[in-house]
Amino acid sequence: MENVIIIGTGPAGYTAAIYAARAELKPVILTGDQPGGQLTTTSEVENFPGFPDGIMGPELMNKMQAQAERFGTRVEFGIMVTNVEKNDDGTFAVHTKPVFADAVTVMQTKTVIVASGATARYLGIEGEEQYIGGRGLTACAVCDGAFFKGVPVAVIGGGDSACEEADFLTKYASKVYLVHRRDELRASKIMAKRVMEHPKIEMVWNSQLAGYKEAENGNINAIVLDNTVDGSTSDLPVEGVFMAIGHTPNTSFLSTDLMDLDPSGYAIPVPGKTATKTPGIFVAGDVADTVYRQGITAAGLGCAAALEAEKFLSGH
Ligand code: NAP
């Protein structure tokens, strides 16, 4: 019987682990199929406090892992959670399986911290992965916008995220193309007005991203667009592509008997807490965050979840 099982190894999970380990709870953390989480897919992180010269995303996550292990966290690599069940005595059975095998193992625990994150959606175009993380394709303007100073970029999507990213990128890029598959934005009126009136943003309506073109160094230097109305195809020269077609929260292993989920699948904690409707289950980070989605906010919530879990355990 474990004290606390932490699901997910992004900033929320590792911060929860550091706090739980220092409280001598001997936490176990399960990495899933992406050890280190979303920050491992970005290049340099310039906005995480404490690193005035920036730090590479994977290196930051390695440091968090080392810090968690230093205090006695057990890291289980390549372990996916397939289900969480509540036992009759209020403890939990966490069903797990290795990423590359089918053998199911059931772990018992007194508390669970769900920090399984969200996955930015990409289009799934063939060869797309090779451009993610430093070759021009990203899903986070706040993280990577500063690498595109003085060059044209494209944002893909028509929602609030796309508008927010486009607006943010005008600080750096020479020009921002907002590429949307329809001729009307889904975003709120105020966001839509802001981008459409911005002198550095050009709307590219009725266009679906269909492919990437690369320079000799392998970085993106243009995108291929299919016109969704007349079927024509054209190239748009850009050096950065910011995908803003939504995120998918990683909650498929959670039953709504234990965790409230919003219509998009995001976990809903008790207001102002990381506790959930099930005593003993806590939630932290992007899996419950549709607003901030930053490493540092996730880390802060991971800390809160561990403190709440510790208090819960000492009260039981
Ligand atoms: P979203 O509202 O779901 O918008 C996703 C956009 O991507 C839509 O315009 C959609 O096009 C497009 N899209 C989806 N799949 C696509 C595909 N396969 N190919 C091309 N385009 C595709 O997602 P979001 O913008 O991330 O926002 C999520 C939630 O967070 C929303 O409730 C939003 O209001 C909220 N949010 C709020 C703020 C804020 O208030 N400051 C900021 C960010 C997000 P269609 O329109 O054609 O479906």
PDB file of all heavy atoms in Angstrom, residues 269-275 308:
ATOM      1  N   PRO A 269     -11.605  20.193 -10.258  1.00  0.00           N
ATOM      2  CA  PRO A 269     -11.409  20.050  -8.812  1.00  0.00           C
ATOM      3  C   PRO A 269     -12.475  20.822  -8.042  1.00  0.00           C
ATOM      4  O   PRO A 269     -13.260  21.575  -8.628  1.00  0.00           O
ATOM      5  CB  PRO A 269     -10.026  20.657  -8.590  1.00  0.00           C
ATOM      6  CG  PRO A 269      -9.841  21.627  -9.701  1.00  0.00           C
ATOM      7  CD  PRO A 269     -10.689  21.176 -10.861  1.00  0.00           C
ATOM      8  N   VAL A 270     -12.472  20.654  -6.729  1.00  0.00           N
ATOM      9  CA  VAL A 270     -13.295  21.486  -5.865  1.00  0.00           C
ATOM     10  C   VAL A 270     -12.794  22.925  -6.032  1.00  0.00           C
ATOM     11  O   VAL A 270     -11.573  23.140  -6.063  1.00  0.00           O
ATOM     12  CB  VAL A 270     -13.113  21.021  -4.390  1.00  0.00           C
ATOM     13  CG1 VAL A 270     -13.808  21.972  -3.427  1.00  0.00           C
ATOM     14  CG2 VAL A 270     -13.606  19.581  -4.222  1.00  0.00           C
ATOM     15  N   PRO A 271     -13.688  23.924  -6.179  1.00  0.00           N
ATOM     16  CA  PRO A 271     -13.214  25.292  -6.440  1.00  0.00           C
ATOM     17  C   PRO A 271     -12.158  25.755  -5.433  1.00  0.00           C
ATOM     18  O   PRO A 271     -12.322  25.588  -4.220  1.00  0.00           O
ATOM     19  CB  PRO A 271     -14.490  26.132  -6.309  1.00  0.00           C
ATOM     20  CG  PRO A 271     -15.591  25.188  -6.663  1.00  0.00           C
ATOM     21  CD  PRO A 271     -15.162  23.839  -6.145  1.00  0.00           C
ATOM     22  N   GLY A 272     -11.059  26.282  -5.950  1.00  0.00           N
ATOM     23  CA  GLY A 272      -9.998  26.821  -5.100  1.00  0.00           C
ATOM     24  C   GLY A 272      -9.098  25.776  -4.476  1.00  0.00           C
ATOM     25  O   GLY A 272      -8.219  26.105  -3.670  1.00  0.00           O
ATOM     26  N   LYS A 273      -9.285  24.509  -4.826  1.00  0.00           N
ATOM     27  CA  LYS A 273      -8.490  23.408  -4.242  1.00  0.00           C
ATOM     28  C   LYS A 273      -7.936  22.521  -5.353  1.00  0.00           C
ATOM     29  O   LYS A 273      -8.326  22.638  -6.508  1.00  0.00           O
ATOM     30  CB  LYS A 273      -9.392  22.520  -3.368  1.00  0.00           C
ATOM     31  CG  LYS A 273     -10.020  23.234  -2.188  1.00  0.00           C
ATOM     32  CD  LYS A 273      -9.132  23.040  -0.995  1.00  0.00           C
ATOM     33  CE  LYS A 273      -9.714  23.691   0.235  1.00  0.00           C
ATOM     34  NZ  LYS A 273      -8.705  24.038   1.188  1.00  0.00           N
ATOM     35  N   THR A 274      -7.070  21.597  -4.952  1.00  0.00           N
ATOM     36  CA  THR A 274      -6.693  20.532  -5.885  1.00  0.00           C
ATOM     37  C   THR A 274      -7.458  19.258  -5.533  1.00  0.00           C
ATOM     38  O   THR A 274      -7.397  18.279  -6.264  1.00  0.00           O
ATOM     39  CB  THR A 274      -5.177  20.238  -5.837  1.00  0.00           C
ATOM     40  OG1 THR A 274      -4.844  19.730  -4.548  1.00  0.00           O
ATOM     41  CG2 THR A 274      -4.364  21.477  -6.142  1.00  0.00           C
ATOM     42  N   ALA A 275      -8.157  19.259  -4.397  1.00  0.00           N
ATOM     43  CA  ALA A 275      -9.011  18.118  -4.031  1.00  0.00           C
ATOM     44  C   ALA A 275     -10.131  17.982  -5.058  1.00  0.00           C
ATOM     45  O   ALA A 275     -10.478  18.960  -5.733  1.00  0.00           O
ATOM     46  CB  ALA A 275      -9.603  18.346  -2.640  1.00  0.00           C
ATOM     47  N   GLU A 308      -2.003  19.202   0.095  1.00  0.00           N
ATOM     48  CA  GLU A 308      -3.362  18.751   0.433  1.00  0.00           C
ATOM     49  C   GLU A 308      -3.385  17.239   0.703  1.00  0.00           C
ATOM     50  O   GLU A 308      -4.069  16.769   1.610  1.00  0.00           O
ATOM     51  CB  GLU A 308      -4.339  19.110  -0.687  1.00  0.00           C
ATOM     52  CG  GLU A 308      -4.700  20.582  -0.721  1.00  0.00           C
ATOM     53  CD  GLU A 308      -5.746  20.919  -1.782  1.00  0.00           C
ATOM     54  OE1 GLU A 308      -6.762  20.206  -1.906  1.00  0.00           O
ATOM     55  OE2 GLU A 308      -5.542  21.900  -2.522  1.00  0.00           O
TER      56      GLU A 308
END
